[in-house]
Structures are given as C-alpha cells and as structure tokens.
Amino acid sequence: MLHYDRLQQHFLKISRLGHLGAICGWDQAAMMPAGGNSARGEAMAELALLIHEQTTALQLPEWFAAAETEPLDADQQASLKAMKRRWQHATLLPGDLVQAISLAASTCEHAWRSQRPANDWQSFKANLSKVVDLAREEASIRAAHAGLSSYDALLDIYEPGVTTAQLDGVFGDVKTWLPELIQQVDEKQATRSWQVPQGPFPIEQQKMLGQEAMKLLGFDFNHGRLDVSTHPFCGGVPTDVRITTRYDEEDFMTALLGVIHETGHARYEQNLPKAWAGLPVGEARSMGIHESQSLFFEMQLARSREFTQLLAPMAARALQREQDPAFRVDNIYAFNTRMKRGYIRVNADEVTYPAHVILRYEIERALIEGDIEVDDIPALWDEKMQAYLGLSTQDNYRDGCMQDIHWTGGAFGYFPSYTLGAMYAAQEFAAAERTITDLRGKIARGELTELFNWLHDNIWQKASILSTEDLIASATGEPLNPTYFRKHLQQRYC
C-alpha cells in the first residue's frame, strides 16, 4: 500500500470523528436541554482531544515524507498538501490546550444564550476573558511557527493566504467610499416609500415558507434538515447538513432570508465532490468562499428584483396574505432593499453590512494582538458604531458587543470572511451573467438550473483543490476585484 493511501485512510477516520462532533454541536445549539450542557461540553472536549491525537499521530511525519516521493497525479498532490497542512496546524498545539479551548468555548457559548438577553456584560466578560486568553495562547504558538503576527496566524485558519496587510488595503478602500454611498442611499430612499408587512405571522406558516424556498433553491432534504437555534447557522456534514433559523411572529422576512442564506452554505456542502468526501481537499476552500455562497443566494439572488417576482407571491400564499398590498412584488422588493442604520449585524442591509464587519475586524485584531483588553471592548464598540453608523451602544451590550456567537467560540479571524464573501459573490454573479444568456430573465421565471450548474462546476466541485486566489481566477477570469461589489451596491441602491 502506498503511504499516500495510508494517509488517506487515516484522515477518513478523523473525518468520521469530526462527523460526530458536528452533530453533537448542532444538537447542543438546537435540541439539547439546558441542563445537559456541562456534560456535553466535557464530552465534546474529550472528542476534540481524541481528534487532535489522531491528527498528530506519531507515524504521520514518516508517512508524509514517504508519500512525497510516490508517483501521484495532480489531484492527489493537492490532497496530500491539504492533509499535510491539517497535520501541521494540529501539531502546533498541545492536547491540553485543545481540550481547554473546547471546554471554555462550550461554557461561554452556552452561558451567552441567557446572558445576552439579560444584557449581563459582567458575567459574559468573565467567560469571554478565558476564551480570549486561550485564543492568544494559540495565536502565539501559531505565529511563532509561521513567522506571522498573532492575528494573521488565526486569520490563516479561516482565510489561508490572506493577511491583515491585504485586509487593511481592501477595507481601507471601502472606508473611503462607503460613507458617501450610505449618504446617497439615504437621500434616495427619502423619496421612496414602502409598506412594512404587518404580523402576526404564525411560526408554522413561516417554517413552511422557508422549506418551500429551500426546495426552489435546490436543497436536498434527503441529506439535510431545517431547525431552530438562538443564532442561525449551517452545520453537520455534507451528507447530513443541518441549517437553523430563528422566528419572530412580527417579522417573517428575517427568518426567511436567514433560511435562504444558510441554504447557500448548505448547497455548497451538499455539492462538494464525493470523490474527495472526508478528506481535507474535499472540504470548502475557505470561509470567505463559503460566505460567498450564502451571500450569493441571499444578496445576489434572493434580494434581486427578478427573484422577488418568485418570492413575493410564494410568501403571500404561505402566509395567507394574497390580498395584502404589502406583499406586492414592488413593495417586497423595496422592503428588502431598504437601507437602515441598525445595531444588529445579521439584520443589516447590504450597504451598511461592511461597516459592521470592519468594526469587528478592527476590535478583534487589537484584542488578539494585546493592544486592548476585554474590558475595553464596549467603549471601543460604541466609539466605532458612532463613527461608522452614527449609533450609540453605550450600556447596550445585548445589541452591541454581545450580539454575535463567534467570539464565544474563540473564532477570532472569522469576521473578515463576511465582507470578503460579499465581494466574491458579486464577482461570481457578474461572471455567471457573462456566461449564461438572459440570466436575469431566467431567474424571474424560476429557471435556476443553469445558474446552479455554473456554481456547481466553478465553485462547489473545486472544493479545496485550488487556492482561493486560483479558484476565483478560474471561475471569474481574474483574482479578487472589489470593484464588482461596489458596482453591485451602486446599481441596486443608487
């Protein structure tokens, strides 16, 4: 047996353990009773340690060295490189640190569910401080090995090859034109009007509407399901994708667009190449590319005027509002493309959303680099919210620095993926429109097969065989070009 084959079998074993962890994590967020968290957290920490031990097994260095001398084709070489990267990342961290990170994250996330509604910053701060201390320890170890800054070392986990120098350039450019764009949209919308759909909208009807939208978007219910959680997410594994949303009886659109967003993630997972299932090379390329798929579905597709011709009557039927003028296509389109400065990132419109991401990026970078401490977060958050969006979050931790789940789990370096994803999505849609004749007309008629085939061939089936830069260049004809994102916002909102 080739050493490459031994490595492949070993990493498939690790993947199966990860499968169990993913489903346990979904259950913890969506189904588990509150009293089960302590034992569940300990069990998941033990599983994290077991996965770490397998990923750092003593025989792996010898197998990698031997495999690199074996006759492998281009795809196998890409697979070997991906396995080696996974191994190198894992060997940097001692097992007790991996276990401590998992336990602290589980404790912090579970407590956050009740602390956030209570606006209890002091209690949350105690748990978050432990998570930050461990994240800094991890970052220091990774940085020393890679010759990177602490934050760049964590950013590399989610966006391989991307650095803060690149982000500062991209985000710095956005900050030069975004305030003016927000002002322009404000002025234009002052002359527009729309009706806000008035509830109540029964949750069961909303669930049926979400499932109908998922069917239209090609979600495979034989390999996935929709549930409820405090914070919407897409989890599980490609053969068993779990997506969640949250419902508000007075606002059906937030849940619906959340379902569509997570369906974009899910379709990516469900369409990863089966030949590489369970191997690192068969996983999504990066979180930025993953977010590009969810934002492609939610922003490029679902909020478009063409898709609204499908979505508005679908919502009217499901919610029994077929005679309600608020459900007219023009009104739903205006409602879904309104801009409003708001506190909550997940409810933000396309125009103001980058400000939310840049704010978090700047704070978490300073936090991991040790330039600020956890105590400094609320005041800095308030300062940046006032500067970027003209809003104050003083003493409003629930709608400020406690609103996201990411930091509770130690996911520092993740937030930039959202705006990178929006940029990738705009560039991908522009490329698809150049390729597919009358794309917008086909969307309006519900003829989505060609569009999904384009995503399947150019993004989904490529998994991690190519680097992010090469993947985008292969799909669109050029590396990341933020100009497409800016043009998209200007065309839709101005």
Side-chain angles (χ1 to χ4, degrees), residues 109-182:
E109 188 277 329
H110 188 73
W112 164 82
R113 298 184 204 178
S114 57
Q115 290 165 351
R116 183 196 172 199
N119 202 41
D120 185 0
W121 165 253
Q122 291 301 320
S123 297
F124 176 70
K125 180 180 70 173
N127 288 329
L128 181 62
S129 295
K130 295 177 183 177
V131 173
V132 169
D133 287 343
L134 292 169
R136 285 173 170 172
E137 186 176 349
E138 176 184 356
S140 178
I141 293 170
R142 294 189 182 282
H145 176 266
L148 299 170
S149 70
S150 291
Y151 185 75
D152 275 347
L154 296 185
L155 178 62
D156 189 64
I157 297 172
Y158 305 103
E159 295 299 326
V162 175
T163 65
T164 52
Q166 293 171 297
L167 289 178
D168 286 345
V170 172
F171 290 166
D173 177 66
V174 171
K175 289 167 72 172
T176 66
W177 54 260
L178 186 61
E180 182 180 353
L181 179 64
I182 291 175

Side-chain angles (χ1 to χ4, degrees), residues 201-448:
F201 305 106
I203 289 175
E204 194 57 36
Q205 291 180 1
Q206 290 192 55
K207 182 177 180 180
M208 291 175 63
L209 172 59
Q211 290 173 334
E212 187 176 354
M214 291 165 70
K215 291 176 184 176
L216 175 63
L217 294 169
F219 183 87
D220 180 1
F221 282 93
N222 193 44
H223 292 95
R225 54 180 288 144
L226 171 66
D227 290 284
V228 178
S229 67
T230 303
H231 190 99
F233 68 92
C234 175
V237 294
T239 55
D240 185 6
V241 178
R242 308 298 179 94
I243 72 172
T244 68
T245 192
R246 57 187 175 200
Y247 298 104
D248 179 347
E249 289 198 337
E250 300 305 317
D251 173 18
F252 79 92
M253 193 58 75
T254 297
L256 176 59
L257 291 174
V259 166
I260 292 172
H261 179 99
E262 301 305 337
T263 299
H265 282 306
R267 290 231 53 201
Y268 188 13
E269 289 291 320
Q270 290 180 335
N271 286 275
L272 290 167
K274 292 180 173 54
W276 299 107
L279 296 174
V281 75
E283 296 175 0
R285 172 61 254 172
S286 73
M287 289 315 304
I289 297 299
H290 227 312
E291 287 302 328
S292 80
Q293 300 311 287
S294 60
L295 294 172
F296 193 106
F297 273 55
E298 180 191 355
M299 301 301 185
Q300 297 296 321
L301 188 57
R303 291 182 193 259
S304 70
R305 187 179 296 277
E306 294 77 18
F307 194 85
T308 305
Q309 295 180 42
L310 307 173
L311 195 63
M314 180 189 301
R317 288 192 303 270
L319 301 174
Q320 300 178 12
R321 298 296 185 90
E322 292 175 281
Q323 305 305 315
D324 187 339
F327 283 78
R328 294 195 310 265
V329 170
D330 286 348
N331 187 71
I332 292 294
Y333 178 72
F335 181 69
N336 278 342
T337 54
R338 69 201 189 284
M339 189 200 77
K340 181 180 180 181
R341 293 175 174 86
Y343 295 102
I344 306 302
R345 175 187 61 85
V346 296
N347 294 342
D349 57 86
E350 287 184 277
V351 181
T352 61
Y353 195 97
H356 290 271
V357 171
I358 292 171
L359 175 153
R360 288 156 172 78
Y361 160 67
E362 292 174 343
I363 291 177
E364 71 175 14
R365 177 183 176 183
L367 187 64
I368 294 300
E369 296 290 355
D371 297 329
I372 64 170
E373 298 299 331
V374 171
D375 274 333
D376 300 319
I377 293 176
L380 192 55
W381 191 290
D382 178 55
E383 175 187 320
K384 290 181 179 294
M385 278 294 287
Q386 293 198 53
Y388 297 162
L389 293 173
L391 300 172
S392 174
T393 57
Q394 186 174 2
D395 298 325
N396 181 6
Y397 312 109
R398 176 180 58 248
D399 296 331
C401 57
M402 288 181 67
Q403 68 182 264
D404 298 295
I405 198 171
H406 304 64
W407 290 348
T408 71
F412 298 97
Y414 189 118
F415 277 119
S417 301
Y418 289 113
T419 291
L420 287 175
M423 292 176 175
Y424 289 136
Q427 188 166 332
E428 290 161 9
F429 190 88
E433 193 167 19
R434 290 194 299 269
T435 304
I436 301 171
T437 302
D438 188 30
L439 175 57
R440 293 184 183 274
K442 288 173 179 173
I443 291 171
R445 296 189 295 273
E447 299 168 8
L448 305 177

